[in-house]
Every structure is written in structure tokens, then in C-alpha cells.
Amino acid sequence: MAKGEIVRVAGAHDALGGILAEQAGFDAVWSSSLEVSAARCLPDASVLTMTEYLEAAANMQKALGIPVIADCDTGYGNNLNVVHMVHEYEAAGITAVCMEDKLFPKLNSFAGGDQTLLSTEEFCGKIRAAKKAQRTDEFFVVARTEALINGLSVDVALERAYAYAEAGADAVLIHSKSKEKDEVEEFLNRWDGCRPVVIVPTTYPNWHIDDIAKAGASVVIYANQGLRATVSSLRKTFESIRRHGDTTALEESIAPVKEVFGLQKLKDWQALETV
């Protein structure tokens, strides 16, 4: 971002997914609460604990040479929980955390159900608590407004985002479940640039990265495409094996075991035996 270049981020829920994102050329990995919870076949509804989400993010960061941005939902509670969250994530080497301005416990933004927002001032208090708790200047706090998810106007989203920037957020994330980019694009057109803006084009996927950059976004997160691809691929693979009775039809389209060994850096580990 310091160079004025858009940052591309891929969602993942484990170190393997993170490594594949890094190899594909992404700049950072989003430790997605949807992906982490889905990997446990549990809803993205504040069911898992902070410790469980932290373990997933930390395992990714240990394996990666690029930053991890942790999706920390609402900060796991009140200001005290937020301070504890910052201490733990920063100690684990995580580069950035993102908090959203919904009530705890929260529900995934695309699910039907309650998407009630915390008051602006209360969420600003969480941001101030997070920034005060961090120990290094490099740690990054992203404030995510769910105003558009809640059905509120772009005016409200902007009002909240400016307040969050004033409270000390290092970046703001504007989220939408519209099938068109229009309201996010309007937000970007009216934003004064006081903080970088992060977008997540899940429901408006045809917005090209070059046009997103021209519109003024600094970071784009492809938050769950990896998870959705995994579901489709595993389903097809397992159905093929069950239908055909062998794996012959699959062998040319699935990774060889030696490629898995490469991702595990097996040779590096074996070399340690002779040190």
C-alpha cells in the first residue's frame, strides 16, 4: 500500500491453503472466520472461540512468508476481550486483525438473520482499546462496517467509517451483499482517502482488479473462493471414486503425492536428520 499498489488477499483456513495462495502470487492471506468454522462443519456464528480462530491464523503465519490478516469477527466480546485478542494475535506474529461493527455473537454477513450493528461510539471504543493494546507500530487494525449488510445507506456507512478512522483504525473495510458493485463504488468515490479502504467482492465478482484499483480501493480480499473450490473438487473426486470403483479417471487431474511432499518441505525436514 505504501507504494500505491493494490494488495490482493486470498482467504484460507489452514496453512496448506495459505501456501497455495502464496505460490499463486497473492500478497497476503485472510484467515477467514467463515472458512475456519466451515472446516469444522460449524456455522460462522461466534460458535468457535478466539483460541480456535487464533490457532488457525497462527498455523498459517508460521508456514507463510507473506502476512496473515485475521478475521476476528466482533473482537470476541467487549473491550476487554478486544485487548486480550490484540495481545494474543500480535504475540503470535499476525500482521493485522479485522473487527466488524455488529453485535456479539455475530452471524455471517450473507446468512439470513440478525445483522444488528453496535453503536458507532461503542465500536469506536473497541478500536481505541485495540490500538492502545498493541505493542508494536507495525500491527494493523482494520475496522469493518456492516452498515450496507444491515440495509443502511452509503451515507451511514461513510459516517461510521470516518468515525472509525478518527478512532485510530489503520484501514476501513466496506462490506456489501449486493449483486452489483454500485454501492461500494459510490462509497469509494465519496471517501476522502484518509485511510486505505478494503473491499470483499464476493457477491459482485465481475469487478476486475484494475477497475477496483482505479475506483480507489487499496486492498481486495477474495475471502472464500478457495473454500468453495475445495467443496466442489472434493465432492467430484469422491463421487468419481465411488462411481468408478477405482481412481484411474482422476489421476491426471489430481496432484501427485510428491507435490504434497514438496508443500510439506519434506526434503528440508529429512536433511535435518543428518545435521
Side-chain angles (χ1 to χ4, degrees):
M1 286 189 296
K3 297 177 181 177
E5 299 173 1
I6 195 162
V7 176
R8 304 190 205 198
V9 185
H13 59 268
D14 59 21
L16 179 60
I19 286 290
L20 293 172
E22 182 176 21
Q23 289 182 348
F26 281 90
D27 304 301
V29 167
W30 172 253
S31 181
S32 162
S33 65
L34 170 60
E35 290 214 13
V36 173
S37 55
R40 298 274 297 273
C41 285
L42 291 169
D44 180 21
S46 299
V47 173
L48 294 180
T49 66
M50 185 203 79
T51 302
E52 291 168 303
Y53 285 120
L54 172 60
E55 181 181 22
N59 284 339
M60 288 185 230
Q61 191 65 85
K62 283 184 280 190
L64 295 174
I66 57 177
V68 168
I69 305 168
D71 178 7
C72 292
D73 293 339
T74 61
Y76 309 112
N78 62 19
N79 288 15
L80 301 182
N81 301 99
V82 167
V83 168
H84 178 55
M85 177 265 290
V86 169
H87 287 166
E88 293 299 304
Y89 276 81
E90 189 176 21
I94 304 302
T95 297
V97 294
C98 178
M99 295 189 296
E100 61 193 66
D101 56 359
K102 287 194 299 211
L103 296 180
F104 175 86
K106 71 99 190 210
L107 183 65
N108 183 272
S109 302
F110 301 132
D114 186 16
Q115 302 291 349
T116 303
L117 304 186
L118 197 66
S119 74
T120 300
E121 182 51 39
E122 284 180 286
F123 192 68
C124 285
K126 284 188 173 184
I127 296 168
R128 288 191 289 266
K131 293 302 295 179
K132 187 175 181 180
Q134 71 183 67
R135 294 184 171 92
T136 64
D137 293 337
E138 291 78 17
F139 192 73
F140 218 73
V141 175
V142 181
R144 165 175 164 175
T145 182
E146 296 278 284
L148 301 179
I149 297 293
N150 187 250
L152 300 173
S153 66
V154 174
D155 286 338
V156 174
L158 284 163
E159 181 182 334
R160 281 179 169 262
Y162 281 127
Y164 301 162
E166 180 67 24
D170 298 293
V172 296
L173 189 157
I174 179 65
H175 203 18
S176 169
K177 58 183 175 183
S178 172
K179 295 185 182 301
E180 304 296 333
K181 60 181 174 60
D182 298 5
E183 56 187 7
V184 172
E185 190 170 33
E186 180 185 349
F187 179 98
L188 290 168
N189 286 338
R190 295 172 59 187
W191 183 248
D192 70 0
C194 64
R195 294 290 189 280
V197 176
V198 184
I199 71 163
V200 189
T202 301
T203 58
Y204 45 100
N206 59 342
W207 203 5
H208 192 273
I209 188 70
D210 293 340
D211 296 323
I212 291 173
K214 289 176 184 176
S218 295
V219 181
V220 57
I221 301 175
Y222 300 96
N224 52 50
Q225 285 78 5
L227 171 69
R228 290 152 58 197
T230 299
V231 171
S232 298
S233 297
L234 285 179
R235 180 172 287 132
K236 290 176 183 177
T237 297
F238 294 149
E239 286 177 350
S240 175
I241 296 170
R242 183 68 180 84
R243 182 171 61 253
H244 295 294
D246 61 33
T247 65
T248 304
L250 295 169
E251 292 302 325
E252 291 188 2
S253 62
I254 60 177
V257 173
K258 68 178 181 180
E259 187 173 333
V260 177
F261 289 162
L263 292 166
Q264 294 172 311
K265 299 182 179 179
L266 179 59
K267 288 185 178 179
D268 294 342
W269 284 96
Q270 287 179 312
L272 295 174
E273 294 179 337
T274 59
V275 172

